[in-house]
C-alpha cells in the first residue's frame, strides 16, 4: 500500500531530525496536529470541481490519521468556499492565514483565484501544493512557495493539437474565458499551432462565472474552424456546445482538463459525442495505475463515493503533501517543508513520478487524452 510505505519512511536523510520538536510558534503546527487550508469553490457554478478536490484530499488525510498521523500529529483540513470569485479567495485565504492559522494550503481551483492570492502567499511565505491550474503565471517566474503537481496548459494544448492534427484537422478556433486561465490556454494553443507553421483561425471570449457565450459562438460561426478549443468550466462549455449545434456549427469541440469532464457529461448527453478532452491524471477507472487503485479505495472507504478525475487529482496532491511532511520530520517548519518538497525528485507515488527541485516547481508534464463516446468518457481512440 502506498500509505503504508509513506508512513514507514526511513528517517535517514530527512530534512530535519525526527527526534526534534516543532519549532515554537510555527503557524499551523502544534504537538497534536498540522492544519492545512483549502480555499476553492464549494458552492456555485464550479462547485463540482472544488468539492471533488476536497473529497480526494480528505480521503488521504483520514487514512493518514487512522495510521497514526504525521510523526504523531493529525492532519486537519480547513476548507473555505470562494465561489470561484477571486476577491473572495483573497478574503478566505487571509482568514485562514491569520485566524488559528494553517501551516500550508492545498487545492486552489482556478487560475484567477490562485493568481489573486500570490502576493499574500509570498508575503506570508506559506507553502502551496497542487493548484488546479496549468497557467504559466504559477510556474514562470518561479514562485518559491508554490508547487504545481499537474501538467501545464501548454502541455495540454500541445497534446490536443498534436492529436487533432494527426486526425486531419487543419484549422482551429479558440473560445476562452476572458481571464488568466483562458489566456493561458489561448497562448498554449497559439504556440502549438505556430510550431506547425499554422495560426489560430479565430477567437471568442466569455466572462467568468457566466454562460454568456453568444458572442463567442458568433465568432466561431464566422470562422468555421475544423475544431474549437474551449477554455472554460463545464456549465459554459455545455451552453456553448448546445448553442453551437443548434446554430449548425459542425466544428469538433475540444477542451482542457479544467472543463470538468464528469460534470460536463450529463449536461450535454449525445451532443457531446466525439468531444476531445485532455486530462492531467489517468482515467479514474484505469486500474492499471496503482495510484488510481489506491485513491479509489480511499475515496470509497472514507467518503463513500466514486473516484473522479478531480478527486484523483486531489488525492495525488494530498499524497505529495503527506510525503513531504513525512520527509520534513518532527521538527516541522515551513522552510523544512519546502526543502523536503524540493528533494522529491523522481519519487514514485504508485505509477506517477513526482519530480520537483530547487529550480523546478512543476512535478509532472504527462497528459492523458479522453473523449466523450456513447455516453461515457473513454481514452481517446
Amino acid at each position: 500500500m502506498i500509505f503504508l510505505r509513506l508512513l514507514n519512511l526511513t528517517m535517514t536523510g530527512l530534512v530535519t531530525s525526527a527526534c526534534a520538536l516543532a519549532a515554537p510558534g510555527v503557524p499551523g503546527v502544534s504537538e497534536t496536529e498540522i492544519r492545512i487550508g483549502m480555499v476553492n469553490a464549494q458552492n456555485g457554478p464550479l462547485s463540482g470541481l472544488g468539492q471533488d478536490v476536497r473529497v480526494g484530499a480528505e480521503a488521504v488525510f483520514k487514512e493518514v490519521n487512522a495510521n497514526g498521523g504525521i510523526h504523531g500529529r493529525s492532519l486537519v483540513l480547513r476548507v473555505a468556499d470562494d465561489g470561484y470569485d477571486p476577491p473572495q479567495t483573497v478574503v478566505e485565504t487571509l482568514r485562514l492565514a491569520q485566524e488559528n492559522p494553517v501551516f500550508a494550503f492545498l487545492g486552489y481551483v482556478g487560475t484567477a483565484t490562485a493568481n489573486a492570492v500570490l502576493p499574500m502567499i509570498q508575503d506570508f511565505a506559506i507553502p502551496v501544493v497542487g493548484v488546479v491550474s496549468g497557467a504559466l503565471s504559477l510556474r514562470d517566474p518561479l514562485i518559491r512557495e508554490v508547487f504545481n503537481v499537474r501538467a501545464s496548459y501548454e502541455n495540454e494544448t500541445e497534446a490536443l493539437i498534436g492529436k487533432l492534427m494527426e486526425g486531419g484537422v487543419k484549422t482551429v478556433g479558440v473560445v476562452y474565458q476572458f481571464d488568466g486561465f483562458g489566456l493561458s490556454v489561448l497562448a498554449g494553443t497559439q504556440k502549438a499551432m505556430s510550431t506547425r507553421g499554422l495560426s489560430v483561425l479565430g477567437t471568442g471570449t466569455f466572462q467568468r462565472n457566466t454562460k454568456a457565450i453568444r458572442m463567442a459562438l458568433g465568432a466561431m460561426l464566422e470562422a468555421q474552424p475544423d475544431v474549437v478549443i474551449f477554455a472554460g468550466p463545464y456549465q459554459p462549455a455545455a451552453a456553448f456546445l448546445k448553442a453551437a449545434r443548434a446554430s449548425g456549427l459542425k466544428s469538433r469541440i475540444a477542451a482542457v482538463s479544467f472543463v470538468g469532464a464528469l460534470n460536463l457529461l450529463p449536461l450535454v448527453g449525445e451532443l457531446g459525442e466525439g468531444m476531445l478532452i485532455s486530462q492531467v491524471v489517468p482515467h479514474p477507472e484505469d486500474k492499471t495505475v496503482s495510484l488510481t487503485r489506491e485513491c479509489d479505495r480511499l475515496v470509497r472507504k472514507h467518503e463513500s463515493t466514486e473516484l473522479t478525475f478531480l478527486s484523483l487529482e486531489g488525492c495525488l496532491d494530498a499524497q505529495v503533501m503527506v510525503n513531504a511532511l513525512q520527509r520534513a520530520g518532527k521538527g516541522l517548519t515551513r522552510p523544512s517543508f519546502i526543502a523536503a518538497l524540493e528533494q522529491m525528485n523522481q519519487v514514485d507515488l504508485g505509477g506517477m513520478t513526482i519530480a520537483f527541485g530547487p529550480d523546478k516547481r512543476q512535478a509532472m508534464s504527462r497528459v492523458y487524452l479522453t473523449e466523450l463516446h456513447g455516453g461515457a468518457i473513454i481514452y481517446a481512440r
Side-chain angles (χ1 to χ4, degrees):
M1 291 293 186
I2 294 168
F3 281 95
L4 293 180
R5 292 201 302 271
L6 289 178
L7 292 168
N8 287 290
L9 277 172
T10 175
M11 294 298 100
T12 303
L14 292 181
V15 175
T16 54
S17 170
C19 299
L21 297 177
V26 176
V29 179
S30 72
E31 287 302 310
T32 60
E33 67 181 28
I34 302 168
R35 294 184 298 276
I36 305 298
M38 176 178 286
V39 181
N40 58 34
Q42 294 296 308
N43 292 286
L46 213 68
S47 59
L49 305 189
Q51 290 172 6
D52 278 1
V53 171
R54 174 184 53 77
V55 163
E58 284 190 334
V60 172
F61 286 5
K62 288 175 181 178
E63 182 75 0
V64 170
N65 291 342
N67 286 277
I70 304 292
H71 301 294
R73 298 186 179 100
S74 296
L75 292 172
V76 176
L77 184 64
R78 297 180 61 197
V79 181
D81 176 27
D82 67 8
Y84 193 44
D85 178 44
Q88 192 62 28
T89 313
V90 172
V91 169
E92 295 299 340
T93 297
L94 183 61
R95 181 175 65 83
L96 292 182
Q98 292 184 324
E99 297 177 11
N100 192 26
V102 299
F103 173 74
F105 283 100
L106 173 75
Y108 283 102
V109 174
T111 302
T113 49
N115 282 342
V117 299
L118 287 182
M120 186 190 314
I121 292 299
Q122 292 174 283
D123 286 346
F124 282 86
I126 305 176
V128 175
V129 175
V131 180
V132 181
S133 169
L136 183 63
S137 58
L138 298 167
R139 292 161 169 77
D140 187 19
L142 182 146
I143 301 168
R144 180 174 182 268
E145 293 81 10
V146 178
F147 289 81
N148 301 282
V149 178
R150 57 156 44 209
S152 69
Y153 289 139
E154 186 173 301
N155 298 141
E156 291 193 59
T157 50
E158 169 59 32
L160 285 172
I161 295 300
K163 179 70 172 179
L164 291 165
M165 292 298 172
E166 287 174 7
V169 165
K170 298 185 184 304
T171 58
V172 173
V174 181
V175 171
Y176 61 99
Q177 185 170 285
F178 192 62
D179 62 5
F181 158 51
L183 289 167
S184 289
V185 175
L186 174 62
T189 305
Q190 290 172 327
K191 181 176 180 180
M193 295 292 285
S194 178
T195 60
R196 294 166 173 83
L198 301 170
S199 59
V200 171
L201 184 61
T203 63
T205 65
F206 62 96
Q207 296 300 313
R208 184 190 318 113
N209 275 342
T210 76
K211 294 183 281 186
I213 49 76
R214 284 289 172 181
M215 289 184 64
L217 175 58
M220 294 302 102
L221 287 168
E222 181 177 351
Q224 292 290 323
D226 294 335
V227 171
V228 174
I229 304 292
F230 190 89
Y234 51 92
Q235 289 196 8
F240 179 83
L241 181 56
K242 291 175 181 178
R245 296 304 179 239
S247 300
L249 184 69
K250 302 299 184 182
S251 308
R252 186 179 184 183
I253 311 297
V256 295
S257 59
F258 197 75
V259 75
L262 286 170
N263 296 101
L264 176 69
L265 184 61
L267 298 180
V268 298
E270 63 183 17
L271 288 178
E273 185 70 20
M275 184 173 179
L276 185 67
I277 303 174
S278 56
Q279 310 289 351
V280 295
V281 292
H283 197 294
E285 295 179 2
D286 184 357
K287 300 308 189 293
T288 65
V289 182
S290 59
L291 177 81
T292 306
R293 296 196 303 272
E294 179 74 347
C295 289
D296 181 64
R297 180 184 75 84
L298 295 179
V299 165
R300 290 179 186 276
K301 174 182 176 181
H302 295 291
E303 304 298 320
S304 302
T305 189
E306 295 182 356
L307 190 67
T308 68
F309 287 101
L310 266 296
S311 60
L312 176 54
E313 185 170 351
C315 176
L316 170 62
D317 293 346
Q319 289 206 47
V320 171
M321 176 169 275
V322 165
N323 193 297
L325 288 170
Q326 288 280 11
R327 290 167 180 266
K330 183 73 173 178
L332 180 64
T333 64
R334 285 171 173 166
S336 72
F337 178 61
I338 288 173
L341 283 163
E342 290 180 337
Q343 291 177 13
M344 289 181 66
N345 186 17
Q346 302 303 312
V347 174
D348 182 7
L349 292 182
M352 301 187 74
T353 302
I354 302 303
F356 287 126
D359 299 314
K360 192 172 186 294
R361 289 297 188 272
Q362 181 178 306
M364 303 188 304
S365 59
R366 183 172 178 181
V367 175
Y368 305 79
L369 294 179
T370 63
E371 64 179 308
L372 305 189
H373 177 70
I377 303 168
I378 64 172
Y379 281 130
R381 296 164 291 180

